[in-house]
Amino acid sequence: MRINEGGMEYGRIPGYGTAKEHKPLNQTPAQGMPADSISIGKGAFSIDDLHQALSCLPRRNVGTQGDKIMEQKTVQYADSYGRVKHLALQLSSYASGKVRTQMLNAYKTLFQKMEPDTKFSIVVESDRDQADVEKILKDNKIPNPERIQFIKPNVGGLTVWARDQMIGMYLPDDPNHTGLLNQTTLHNWHDSDTKVPPKLAEANPKIILDREPRLVTDGGDTVSNRNESFVGYYSLAATAENLHRVGRSNNFMKTQMVAHYETKTGNKVVLSEQENPFPYKIVPEPFPKDIHRIPFRLESNPDYQTLKAGGNQVDEATMYEDMAKELFEKQFGKKVSVMGKDDPSTPQIEEPASDHMDMGMTPVDEKTFMLGSPDLAKSLFRSMTPGELRQAEQVLSDAAGKKIDLKSYLETSRKGDKQNEFDAYEKKLSGEGYRVVRVPHAEPGWGSPYITYNNCLMERFDKNNDGTEYRRIFLPVYGIPKLDNFAIDAYKKEGFEVIPMPLDALSARWGALRCISNWLERSPQG
């Protein structure tokens, strides 16, 4: 069977009440998938595959060794624990001018400052991309250049966002291999980026590729510490909608899902009589291709009503969201906390604080989070002298290649960058026992540098083999001393050696260091 509709139908569930409104998510249906497959996002899976996932059978990872299927537990690497042993980067014609220069300088810093045996796999679109990196290696006499591998996949156009189409995993039962999740992405405009993970696995026999189209997320929309993973609500909602499409297209599968859920939870599912059981509808919101944003938003479904029945009854949407969370927990091998879901008991609308989780929150260890604060950024801007403000405007204008008015960073009414959404994150994290440290965060309009001190690359490991943990962070900075220094000092207080990485031009594309890199292996694992 094949599902190829582009949007969602709206309906009414008897006995339900009005929902609040949410914001973006992208769920792009596949085209031309096999007739015996269910089309989910840009991937496909068989009924047997879904039944296996819902029956809690062992995970199936498809390796690079032909059609060999290996039953393995997978665990998402923690963001800061361990040193990076293997890092993926990606360079293409997407990056030109100052953006390209900053990226190449960032590569140079990583080559020089990471451990001298750190391996790099650099995916390039063209010979020119490879030549530019090779010049960096030669001009700077980078040690051990043989550890830097180039992969030219010849799959079509690429971006530079190495993070989104894959997520690094370790295999606790197989120390000789690592896992690489190749999931369905939230973004639908990343050219041929989704074809890169298989090429990385082909070039690195140690990597087992795990194609998992049931999960819909971007690598940037999930972060992790050693104990739990955190997923943005956009990803959960998109994955839940995938499961709903399966059930809507095949009544037998829907019956199986309901039976699985009711048996596992003890709850009774009240099914919708309409096609859309969710409190939201998906509305396209196209952005320019070079702006790194999710091109959909969630809006309130006016026909949805909240379930008023008591006891152990749940609505169909709750079932799909709970099952989606279960799939994430099985894949990531950890407890999963969902961030940015609306709390219906409050008058305001809680949404994900940023399109991608890694733009606004960072687990620096198992007890602490660095969390963005728009109000803090505004306060620091307002504390500047007129001369400092003019300098900041000039720096931002040079980075964006256009005139920037700082008013766009000081507005409190723009759609994104809402303090209450970040504060909702702090409330949730604090409630789970985490210590939360706030850092500046500024999400301006299209094409303006996005100021984030969360989109970083961290390492914590025993560098000198003396039992002492060494902490290092590669931190994006933006040429605005008051904001940069505040963030640098905040990380230093957490015990990190801070290595600044000027990335203001890149951030005008709405991404920074974590977005352009992806760890394929970390050690120790966690």
Side-chain angles (χ1 to χ4, degrees), residues 73-110:
K73 177 181 179 181
T74 54
V75 183
Q76 183 181 16
Y77 281 115
D79 269 60
S80 68
Y81 184 69
R83 52 158 290 208
V84 175
K85 293 191 69 177
H86 190 180
L87 190 69
L89 303 169
Q90 189 167 305
L91 187 63
S92 72
S93 57
Y94 181 95
S96 61
K98 190 173 182 180
V99 172
R100 192 178 189 87
T101 298
Q102 285 191 345
M103 287 187 62
L104 290 168
N105 285 335
Y107 290 2
K108 178 184 72 172
T109 301
L110 294 173

Side-chain angles (χ1 to χ4, degrees), residues 394-411:
Q394 186 61 56
V395 166
L396 295 170
S397 298
D398 290 345
K402 64 178 185 180
K403 175 64 177 176
I404 297 294
D405 188 339
L406 274 184
K407 290 180 181 178
S408 65
Y409 287 82
L410 297 173
E411 291 173 353

Side-chain angles (χ1 to χ4, degrees), residues 83-87 114-120 147:
R83 52 158 290 208
V84 175
K85 293 191 69 177
H86 190 180
L87 190 69
M114 299 187 91
E115 297 306 287
D117 62 343
T118 303
K119 181 178 178 180
F120 294 86
R147 64 198 167 100

